[in-house]
Amino acid sequence: MFATTHRISSVYGLLALAALVAFALSLLTGSLMLSPVRLWEGLTGSDTLARSVVLDLRLPRTLTAFAAGGLLAMAGVLMQVLLRNPLADPFVMGISGGAAVAALAAMLLGLTGLTVDVFATLGALAATLIVFALAHGEGGWTPTRLLLTGIVMAAGASALVSVLLAMGNDNELRGMLFWLMGDLSMSSRPWPLLILFVIALLVALPFSRQLNVLARGELQARVLGAPVQGLRIAIFVGSSILTAATVTSAGTIGFVGLVTPHLVRLMLGSDHRWVMPASAMLGGTLVMLADLCARTLLAPRQLPVGALTAIAGVPLFLALMRRSRR
């Protein structure tokens, strides 16, 4: 199903408006409420307190939330195309679990900063390679075999995370748990994630037609001359990198990569030229709103963002599944 030009324009306009509203609310709302005038004064530097709150705290956190949500949504789209299964997403496939295990191991070793990012990326890639190796059988990989292997990998990673948490001392445990549930409170450098977000979108868009072909099935893709095996490997590695970058910056935030592509396909159909950027916008908006709720619902106490996305995502996904049965 492909959407009309008018429908595409309307949906993109609504998504852009929603993103701008969520962005503005995230900057205005918090323990210190700011008026639009005071927000402008903070951005221009005439109000020192507002400038510190906005530029040092809220703006980096909001930009990180948008980039993280967009990357997770794009990774979800890629995984669902690869496996031709609506339940596929980086967390179900064990990719985020591999990143989390490696990052927690780095933290327990006393490592910080870029080293943790490198460990998480290597962990995600290692999980990807293990899934590919275990799922390979006669005739190569099949979507069902990959999905089942990924689910087993995710379960194994969850067990390793529990072991690593048990090994941590009391001073580290709360921070590690909060990070595992999705934590944006330490987001002070959003630019690497934003740059990756832009690069990923620019790289994915030229391959949208090939994603459309691959989504129709392996046989049809081969008949039409698409490099199926190369596309599969590129999608798995690419989604691993996107997931690892998000996990190191924001922890594990679930259901965004699972639910967002479904919502976008309901609005725009199955053409990935429009699904991919729309999913990135909607995913970013949803995580911005989740982070806003995490900061304000029980202020000054902060809630884990990943817990809120799961609370909202479970009933939403069940409603989408119910709708698809009709």
Side-chain angles (χ1 to χ4, degrees):
M1 184 183 76
F2 295 95
T4 62
T5 303
H6 175 72
R7 185 177 183 84
I8 291 170
S9 301
S10 300
V11 169
Y12 267 82
L14 288 173
L15 289 176
L17 179 61
L20 289 174
V21 169
F23 184 77
L25 286 174
S26 296
L27 296 184
L28 292 168
T29 310
S31 55
L32 175 64
M33 299 295 293
L34 298 177
S35 65
V37 173
R38 196 171 181 193
L39 172 62
W40 175 253
E41 291 175 347
L43 292 173
T44 56
S46 55
D47 186 325
T48 305
L49 178 59
R51 177 183 174 83
S52 177
V53 168
V54 173
L55 296 185
D56 296 339
L57 299 175
R58 293 183 187 171
L59 183 60
R61 183 166 178 161
T62 302
L63 291 175
T64 301
F66 179 79
L71 290 173
L72 288 174
M74 285 191 282
V77 171
L78 292 174
M79 295 302 299
Q80 290 173 15
V81 170
L82 174 68
L83 302 179
R84 287 184 286 120
N85 191 309
L87 296 177
D89 102 312
F91 293 86
V92 174
M93 293 302 299
I95 299 173
S96 65
V101 168
L104 283 176
M107 292 177 188
L108 286 176
L109 292 173
L111 304 176
T112 57
L114 184 60
T115 310
V116 177
D117 297 355
V118 172
F119 266 63
T121 303
L122 293 176
L125 291 174
T128 301
L129 291 174
I130 293 172
V131 168
F132 260 101
L134 295 178
H136 193 275
E138 294 182 7
W141 301 284
T142 64
T144 302
R145 192 183 295 145
L146 277 170
L147 181 61
L148 292 175
T149 307
I151 291 172
V152 172
M153 174 61 67
S158 177
L160 288 175
V161 164
S162 299
V163 171
L164 290 172
L165 289 175
M167 293 169 60
N169 60 49
D170 293 341
N171 294 330
E172 298 171 328
L173 194 57
R174 188 178 187 278
M176 293 168 70
L177 282 171
F178 228 78
W179 175 79
L180 277 173
M181 293 184 288
D183 181 23
L184 292 164
S185 62
M186 302 302 291
S187 303
S188 59
R189 46 187 187 96
W191 304 114
L193 209 62
L194 280 172
I195 292 170
L196 179 61
F197 172 83
V198 173
I199 292 174
L201 197 56
L202 292 177
V203 169
L205 285 177
F207 292 97
S208 296
R209 293 185 184 276
Q210 291 180 311
L211 293 177
N212 289 338
V213 173
L214 189 61
R216 295 177 180 273
E218 180 181 342
L219 181 59
Q220 187 169 348
R222 291 187 185 280
V223 169
L224 294 174
V228 175
Q229 206 69 4
L231 276 175
R232 280 181 169 180
I233 294 173
I235 288 172
F236 225 141
V237 172
S239 59
S240 300
I241 294 172
L242 300 186
T243 304
T246 305
V247 167
T248 55
S249 299
T252 51
I253 300 175
F255 280 91
V256 176
L258 185 63
V259 173
T260 303
H262 287 278
L263 292 173
V264 171
R265 290 188 183 106
L266 284 176
M267 296 184 287
L268 293 175
S270 57
D271 190 343
H272 289 88
R273 292 177 299 171
W274 312 117
V275 169
M276 185 67 74
S279 295
M281 291 174 62
L282 181 57
T285 302
L286 291 177
V287 176
M288 281 195 295
L289 291 174
D291 181 56
L292 176 62
C293 292
R295 290 191 287 113
T296 57
L297 285 180
L298 295 178
R301 186 182 296 273
Q302 295 197 29
L303 300 173
V305 177
L308 294 183
T309 58
I311 290 171
V314 169
L316 184 57
F317 184 73
L318 291 176
L320 290 172
M321 293 294 290
R322 183 179 179 85
R323 176 188 175 95
S324 65
R325 291 178 181 176
R326 293 177 182 175

